[in-house]
Amino acid sequence: MTMSKIRSMRGFLASSIGVTCAAALALPLTPPAVAAHQAPVTASRPAPSAEVLGGTQSLPLAPVARDRTLAPAGEQGVSRRDVRHFSLVGVVWDDPDTALHGSVQVRTRAAGTDTWSGWQDLETHNDDAADPGTAERTSGQVRGATAPLWVGDSDGVEARVRAETDRTAEDEADGSRTTVAAAPLPTGLRLELVDPGEAAEGEVARSGVDRRGVARRGVARRGGTHRSAPTAEPVAALAALAATDASAANAGLGVLGATELPALDRKQTEQELFALRAGELTEQQRVKPYIGPRPRIVTRRGWGADEKLREKKFVYTKKAKAAFVHHTASGNGYSCAQAPSLIRGIYRYHVKSMGWRDIGYNFLVDKCGNIYEGRAGGVAKPVLGAHTLGFNTNSVGIAVLGSYESTKPSAAAVKAVARLTAWKLGLYGANPSGKTYLKSGGGNLYRKGKNVRLNVISGHRDGFNTECPGRLLYSKLGSTRSTAARYQGR
């Protein structure tokens, strides 16, 4: 690229960023009555550091034949090997409409050691997805996938995928038994090893979560050092523009570029509601707005999102009539200090490995009760997610980080879900303890076009045949509904 072209691009990007920032700052960041009481929000640098970049190693699985009773196509794997550092692992395949009937297991080696884990199971039924017929679903880039598993900083891996088998009755002639594969494995199986990368210096710390558990830059690693980021000026400028756009989507809630949106009390939240949706409120909402106080929310900048990964445009629905609660099924072996890194890993897995436009969930909650902005577009807006196949329109997806089929969710996480739904649903006049109707976009429980009566706060399994959000988290939704309604003043 010639110097004249670089100068021209630099000038264009600078003016674009200036226009975006000016447009965002021209909007009311907080209602006047709120600003006087609002806790200060730290404004971050205009461009995210390149250290946010991570990477994905994609390893094809090969057929394995361990004994005569198992057909070669019935098991595939990756032999034990050294790899570059990664912290999140999953398996993907070509056709998103093909289910993997079988088991997926991995074992990993802790980075810089000779210590291998035991075999760990990956959840094969990963039912978070964009609705049928949407541009995101029909892009041609979407793949089938397991849920991702958080394994911490690792530099060795081994994997095996076994098809589900059925044992026939004992042979009457010789008493022998035969094992046959019930269904073939999907084609194009690949092991995805995700390095979440690091957050830009100081950003995770400013979001209220310290950097312990997040890999340091420049530390020597088995198999090489952490990859360096590109230094090309146009790339950095494009990243700055994308980050500014994501932050500007929260205009009216906090300072442009903030790493968190602070909690508000009830009066401040009501004033904010009037400022954000003045012309859309009913007379009853103006007289008595049922809305929970806005909780503290770590922004995408706060957890270190690499904004160059996602598609740039935002997609919205009309309102948030219901909330679907999920678990990420990524295991419980993370610390709260590692939650931003885990989210960056899920984000990269959703976009780069599974082919989605952005992270699928609208919000995420960790075991310490911290709430994180998910899909870009503005936390107070009805952003279209990819979380509950058939019911993403007019709903919000909230994922609790972890696996809760046999592990109880923390009280802090459950309370955070109640606080978040009381506020988010309150923006649109929804009663957390009530019922609502959503039109199915098509799925394995309800045909496309059917109006389905659901709890305003539902579990993923209420809209799709799945175990998500896990038996023990699902059992907490009754109390979550009543608590959220109480937060709204009902």
Side-chain angles (χ1 to χ4, degrees):
M1 180 180 294
T2 65
M3 287 302 299
S4 61
K5 288 183 178 179
I6 290 176
R7 291 192 189 98
S8 176
M9 178 179 289
R10 185 186 305 159
F12 168 75
L13 290 170
S15 64
S16 298
I17 293 170
V19 170
T20 303
C21 292
L25 292 172
L27 297 171
L29 292 180
T30 51
V34 177
H37 303 282
Q38 184 168 330
V41 183
T42 304
S44 52
R45 296 185 296 277
S49 170
E51 288 89 1
V52 75
L53 296 176
T56 302
Q57 302 168 72
S58 189
L59 309 177
L61 273 66
V64 175
R66 295 186 178 276
D67 56 55
R68 295 179 180 177
T69 64
L70 188 65
E75 180 172 354
Q76 296 185 34
V78 169
S79 59
R80 183 181 293 198
R81 65 185 65 185
D82 295 345
V83 293
R84 297 191 305 273
H85 281 231
F86 70 97
S87 298
L88 192 85
V89 58
V91 169
V92 301
W93 54 90
D94 294 338
D95 186 357
D97 295 318
T98 298
L100 194 162
H101 297 289
S103 64
V104 179
Q105 295 181 310
V106 298
R107 39 188 323 213
T108 57
R109 182 181 62 205
T113 75
D114 293 319
T115 303
W116 284 82
S117 71
W119 287 105
Q120 302 181 76
D121 293 311
L122 275 65
E123 175 56 62
T124 59
H125 300 294
N126 187 16
D127 301 313
D128 307 323
D131 287 346
T134 60
E136 184 170 8
R137 179 73 175 182
T138 59
S139 66
Q141 301 177 359
V142 180
R143 290 173 283 279
T146 68
L149 179 69
W150 175 260
V151 294
D153 194 12
S154 305
D155 59 9
V157 70
E158 183 178 6
R160 62 190 185 194
V161 179
R162 291 176 174 171
E164 186 178 68
T165 58
D166 290 329
R167 288 194 175 272
T168 62
E170 187 176 88
D171 189 282
E172 294 182 358
D174 59 11
S176 64
R177 298 177 66 88
T178 304
T179 302
V180 294
L185 292 171
T187 60
L189 288 167
R190 302 185 70 86
L191 184 68
E192 301 287 286
L193 307 177
V194 180
D195 173 5
E198 295 183 48
E201 184 65 35
E203 289 188 0
V204 174
R206 283 200 301 273
S207 74
V209 181
D210 66 35
R211 292 174 60 83
R212 291 171 298 173
V214 180
R216 297 285 183 180
R217 296 197 314 279
V219 177
R221 295 174 159 184
R222 182 191 299 256
T225 57
H226 187 73
R227 73 182 62 181
S228 59
T231 57
E233 190 173 356
V235 173
L238 287 171
L241 180 60
T244 301
D245 285 346
S247 180
N250 286 319
L253 305 178
V255 173
L256 184 69
T259 56
E260 70 172 63
L261 303 174
L264 302 181
D265 62 26
R266 181 176 297 280
K267 182 178 180 181
Q268 294 166 350
T269 302
E270 290 178 356
Q271 292 171 334
E272 180 180 78
L273 171 66
F274 296 147
L276 291 174
R277 303 191 63 240
E280 306 169 52
L281 299 178
T282 66
E283 180 63 29
Q284 181 179 353
Q285 286 176 305
R286 287 193 290 269
V287 174
K288 177 59 178 177
Y290 290 107
I291 186 170
R294 190 183 81 188
R296 171 183 172 272
I297 301 172
V298 178
T299 65
R300 291 174 63 91
R301 189 172 182 84
W303 55 261
D306 179 357
E307 300 294 355
K308 297 187 301 302
L309 293 182
R310 64 172 174 84
E311 291 189 21
K312 298 301 177 276
K313 293 182 179 179
F314 308 138
V315 181
Y316 299 100
T317 63
K318 292 182 178 180
K319 59 178 66 176
K321 296 175 61 179
F324 286 96
V325 177
H326 303 252
H327 68 172
T328 57
S330 51
N332 303 309
Y334 72 94
S335 68
C336 292
Q338 292 174 316
S341 185
L342 171 54
I343 295 170
R344 291 197 301 276
I346 294 173
Y347 171 43
R348 178 172 284 275
Y349 185 69
H350 281 183
V351 176
K352 303 301 287 186
S353 298
M354 297 179 64
W356 295 356
R357 61 178 294 117
D358 193 350
I359 193 170
Y361 309 113
N362 298 106
F363 296 93
L364 301 99
V365 175
D366 69 24
K367 63 178 71 174
C368 291
N370 296 303
I371 300 170
Y372 303 85
E373 177 183 15
R375 180 163 288 205
V379 296
K381 298 177 182 177
V383 178
L384 178 68
H387 50 83
T388 306
L389 181 64
F391 291 101
N392 291 300
T393 298
N394 294 333
S395 71
V396 56
I398 301 169
V400 180
L401 297 173
S403 303
Y404 299 104
E405 183 63 26
S406 57
T407 299
K408 290 182 179 180
S410 68
V414 174
K415 181 179 180 180
V417 173
R419 285 176 55 84
L420 175 59
T421 51
W423 170 72
K424 179 69 175 184
L425 294 171
L427 290 171
Y428 297 91
N431 180 354
S433 61
K435 303 274 189 179
T436 192
Y437 281 92
L438 292 179
K439 181 178 290 188
S440 172
N444 62 6
L445 277 182
Y446 303 103
R447 61 173 173 79
K448 184 175 182 179
K450 180 177 176 60
N451 280 320
V452 182
R453 190 167 185 258
L454 295 162
N455 288 308
V456 168
I457 298 180
S458 288
H460 184 182
R461 64 177 62 182
D462 294 321
F464 195 88
N465 184 18
T466 175
E467 292 183 352
C468 183
R471 177 174 56 89
L472 297 182
L473 177 54
Y474 187 76
S475 69
K476 297 291 185 181
L477 295 188
S479 61
T480 299
R481 295 180 190 108
S482 57
T483 301
R486 187 172 68 251
Y487 284 143
Q488 284 191 347
R490 296 182 185 271

